[in-house]
Amino acid sequence: MTDFEKVMDFKNMYRAFRKARCGKGHKKSAARFDATALDGVHALIEQLRNKTYQVSGYSEFKVYEPKERVIQTAAYKDKVVQHSLCDNVLLPRLERVFLDTNCAGQKGKGTLYGLEKLNQQLQAFYKRHGREGFILKCDIRKFFYSISHSQLKDIVHYHFGYDPDICWLCDQFIDSTQGKGVPLGNQISQIFGLMYLDSMVKMIC
């Protein structure tokens, strides 16, 4: 089974549908999809197989904590496809690529895992260097809004070029907005962000 076939696999797609459904039962789009769930899942599979799948438009709203940000939420059907793509292909492969101490957006790498890794690193550093060291804390201003689509595609194709269909599907999400940037509300955007920064993180570490 190719990676693209894993995305289209009915069991994986239905599992993705149930995952996208969690906490969304009150939404009209979720309710409409839920009413004909099996037909909806089959329709998405056929669209992917025939390359007729297109990412729908986004709903936008602002959040103000800890700072003002524009959140773009995907249509329910697109969340289903994202879950299947991310959970069955992108994350399983990229977990082997990312540093073990990279805890962002990865299953099994929550706060406690991150704290334990930090503790191990601090103790190892102290045994070797004592207190003669520092911690680098940094932030990239408007990171998700400034991601270059062409550069991101190059990175995606570098990691997944063995399966052109996966690259095609990732490109659909990358090009689902105009200009630079990827939507903050997308699950796949979190993974794209990790891929975009991976080389820089490895150089720093």
Side-chain angles (χ1 to χ4, degrees):
M1 182 182 293
T2 67
D3 278 352
F4 193 63
E5 288 170 340
K6 291 177 184 176
V7 177
M8 295 188 297
D9 178 76
F10 180 81
K11 289 183 179 179
N12 289 339
M13 286 289 283
Y14 189 73
R15 189 181 300 116
F17 153 72
R18 292 179 63 85
K19 190 171 181 180
R21 182 182 180 223
C22 292
K24 306 290 192 308
H26 64 288
K27 300 284 184 68
K28 289 184 179 180
S29 60
R32 285 195 298 269
F33 198 101
D34 194 30
T36 56
L38 295 181
D39 289 339
V41 170
H42 278 297
L44 283 176
I45 291 173
E46 283 305 306
Q47 290 172 19
L48 291 170
R49 180 176 290 116
N50 299 329
K51 298 293 195 307
T52 57
Y53 171 77
Q54 292 182 335
V55 180
S56 299
Y58 294 91
S59 299
E60 292 189 2
F61 62 93
K62 289 184 178 181
V63 296
Y64 298 92
E65 293 295 336
K67 57 186 176 182
E68 182 177 329
R69 293 179 297 170
V70 177
I71 306 298
Q72 294 174 295
T73 59
Y76 190 74
K77 70 176 183 67
D78 298 322
K79 292 180 180 179
V80 175
V81 175
Q82 284 187 58
H83 277 303
S84 188
L85 172 61
C86 295
D87 297 347
N88 297 298
V89 175
L90 300 190
L91 282 174
R93 177 173 177 80
L94 292 172
E95 283 173 351
R96 303 191 296 268
V97 174
F98 296 149
L99 291 173
D100 185 48
T101 49
N102 186 335
C103 305
Q106 299 172 63
K107 187 176 181 180
K109 291 188 174 184
T111 304
L112 292 178
Y113 178 91
L115 287 173
E116 179 59 29
K117 286 295 180 181
L118 176 60
N119 184 51
Q120 291 175 7
Q121 288 186 322
L122 289 173
Q123 290 191 32
F125 184 90
Y126 180 76
K127 289 179 181 178
R128 185 174 180 180
H129 303 286
R131 297 183 179 180
E132 298 299 320
F134 63 92
I135 294 176
L136 174 64
K137 180 181 178 181
C138 55
D139 185 24
I140 299 177
R141 185 173 181 269
K142 295 185 177 181
F143 170 60
F144 286 97
Y145 304 119
S146 63
I147 289 177
S148 163
H149 286 192
S150 60
Q151 290 178 4
L152 179 57
K153 285 181 182 179
D154 287 343
I155 295 170
V156 170
H157 290 213
Y158 172 79
H159 288 292
F160 296 95
Y162 61 88
D163 192 329
D165 293 329
I166 291 294
C167 293
W168 167 81
L169 184 53
C170 287
D171 288 351
Q172 300 305 302
F173 286 105
I174 294 172
D175 290 332
S176 64
T177 55
Q178 297 295 319
K180 289 185 177 182
V182 293
L184 271 175
N186 269 356
Q187 177 193 13
I188 198 170
S189 294
Q190 307 301 316
I191 300 175
F192 284 158
L194 293 174
M195 295 171 65
Y196 204 75
L197 292 178
D198 182 59
S199 296
M200 185 187 75
V201 171
K202 288 176 178 175
M203 284 191 295
I204 293 174
C205 295

